[in-house]
Amino acid sequence: MTETAARLLQLLALLQTRREWTGPELAARLGVTVRTVRRDIERLRELEYPVHASLGSVGGYRLEAGTALPPLLLDDEEAVAITLGLRSAAQGAVAGIEESAARALVKLQQVLPSRLRGRVDAVDAATVSLGGPAAGPRVDPETLVVLAAAARDGERIRFRYRDKGDAETKRLAEPHRLVSAGRRWYLVAWDVDRADWRTFRVDRLVAPFPTGVRCAPRELPTEDAAAFVAEQLARSRPARSVVFLVHASAAELIEAFPVRADEVEPIDEHSCLIRTGADSLEWTAVRIAHLGLDFEVREPPEMRRMLRDVGAKLLRAAGDPS
């Protein structure tokens, strides 16, 4: 009996990770016969899990939304509370768990009855945050759910996309991964019409919908999706070379300032160079001002003007009339 219960939980977990499984696929994963899978599916139905079976030579099984939540998981109040919490987390309210929240939201909404969806939407619409809007562009959680489900199921999607100039194009893509970068979300996907990998900002992505067409997995040209996004962002924002002479040893600099070892060039025991790339001279000026060590600008000349401007702003803010 214990073995059967454990297998049922494993079967249920499999049904929640993909849109549809064939009987032989489930049997291979569970290490049992197809006949045993059929019996276990019936046991899940007796426990009110809405498992749909499709006809055919091999057949397929899909976990669908039912009229009530599965009794061993959550009651109505818990389901509403968790769904609202996951929606908030998927928008970036809690740093570091956005992608996990989106994956969990996909699983929960897959079996959430329509009457509870209405309650969730009502609470969501009637709730405002005293803290004001989150930093950065807001992303619709439902968009994240559609994209996450398509990436999970290997399904092509269509959507409209607005570029930074607000020009809109229609896209057909094969989602690979969602990447959370602070308060901004990116979709890494194979652009079918352009026959190449692309990075899409999710807040600029409009009305995504699945096509029902499955696609084979493709191999990224980088180590992972996060590395691909980082590489694309670096290309879109070419950095300017900035060099500072710091009146401290390389060891002192690395101890006092968050800088990579390959950006530091030792000169002697009392001085070294910082060579780095800067997307924004103003941000680099503010960053170097926190160094706590004496330094000089070597290049570019514009950095000297930027430091003077930043210094003047700080003096005005401090009430210094000079």
Side-chain angles (χ1 to χ4, degrees):
M1 187 65 179
T2 303
E3 181 182 349
T4 300
R7 192 175 64 247
L8 286 178
L9 290 175
Q10 187 179 358
L11 173 59
L12 183 59
L14 288 172
L15 290 171
Q16 289 180 335
T17 60
R18 210 167 81 185
R19 171 170 291 187
E20 189 168 278
W21 292 83
T22 66
E25 286 176 331
L26 291 172
R29 288 294 190 99
L30 298 172
V32 297
T33 65
V34 174
R35 184 177 180 182
T36 300
V37 169
R38 286 198 295 267
R39 287 201 302 265
D40 287 347
I41 291 294
E42 288 304 317
R43 291 188 179 103
L44 288 179
R45 289 170 178 163
E46 290 171 3
L47 293 172
E48 299 183 27
Y49 287 91
V51 183
H52 173 75
S54 59
L55 300 177
S57 57
V58 292
Y61 298 102
R62 177 188 300 182
L63 186 63
E64 297 184 338
T67 57
L69 283 172
L72 298 181
L73 296 179
L74 303 167
D75 61 30
D76 288 0
E77 287 71 27
E78 290 171 338
V80 171
I82 291 176
T83 304
L84 288 171
L86 289 172
R87 283 190 176 188
S88 177
Q91 288 178 308
V94 182
I97 67 167
E98 297 94 335
E99 186 177 354
S100 298
R103 291 199 307 268
L105 193 56
V106 170
K107 293 181 179 179
L108 183 56
Q109 293 202 164
Q110 183 171 310
V111 294
L112 195 67
S114 58
R115 59 186 171 80
L116 292 188
R117 287 197 186 97
R119 290 176 58 183
V120 169
D121 292 339
V123 174
D124 214 7
T127 304
V128 295
S129 171
L130 183 62
R138 292 181 63 86
V139 173
D140 182 5
E142 296 299 329
T143 297
L144 288 177
V145 170
V146 171
L147 298 179
R152 178 198 65 187
D153 298 334
E155 185 173 2
R156 287 183 176 180
I157 59 169
R158 291 189 181 276
F159 56 87
R160 303 194 308 276
Y161 189 70
R162 292 180 291 101
D163 63 19
K164 60 183 179 181
D166 213 31
E168 190 172 281
T169 55
K170 293 181 179 180
R171 302 296 182 103
L172 174 64
E174 299 174 1
H176 177 76
R177 285 288 187 278
L178 284 167
V179 176
S180 172
R183 295 291 181 176
R184 192 164 286 172
W185 280 86
Y186 295 92
L187 171 68
V188 176
W190 176 263
D191 191 313
V192 176
D193 294 329
R194 291 157 182 79
D196 198 6
W197 289 100
R198 289 290 189 272
T199 297
F200 300 99
R201 264 180 51 176
V202 176
D203 59 289
R204 293 176 178 168
L205 197 148
V206 182
F209 66 93
T211 63
V213 177
R214 296 297 179 86
C215 48
R218 297 180 186 271
E219 185 175 349
L220 276 173
T222 57
E223 180 181 357
D224 54 32
F228 182 79
V229 170
E231 181 180 294
Q232 296 301 304
L233 293 179
R235 289 180 180 177
S236 65
R237 295 194 301 261
R240 301 186 62 180
S241 177
V242 179
V243 181
F244 297 103
L245 170 65
V246 181
H247 297 290
S249 68
E252 289 177 292
L253 173 63
I254 293 174
E255 179 70 23
F257 196 58
V259 64
R260 299 197 313 268
D262 61 356
E263 293 180 321
V264 180
E265 179 184 330
I267 297 177
D268 53 39
E269 294 181 356
H270 307 291
S271 60
C272 62
L273 293 176
I274 299 178
R275 298 182 182 273
T276 187
D279 296 333
S280 166
L281 291 183
E282 185 172 18
W283 168 242
T284 303
V286 172
R287 183 168 174 255
I288 198 69
H290 286 81
L291 178 57
L293 298 170
D294 290 335
F295 65 90
E296 302 172 20
V297 176
R298 286 295 177 89
E299 60 181 68
E302 296 91 330
M303 178 55 70
R304 297 188 180 90
R305 293 195 294 271
M306 185 59 67
L307 283 168
R308 285 195 291 267
D309 292 343
V310 170
K313 289 179 183 178
L314 295 176
L315 287 173
R316 289 195 297 270
D320 189 329
S322 63

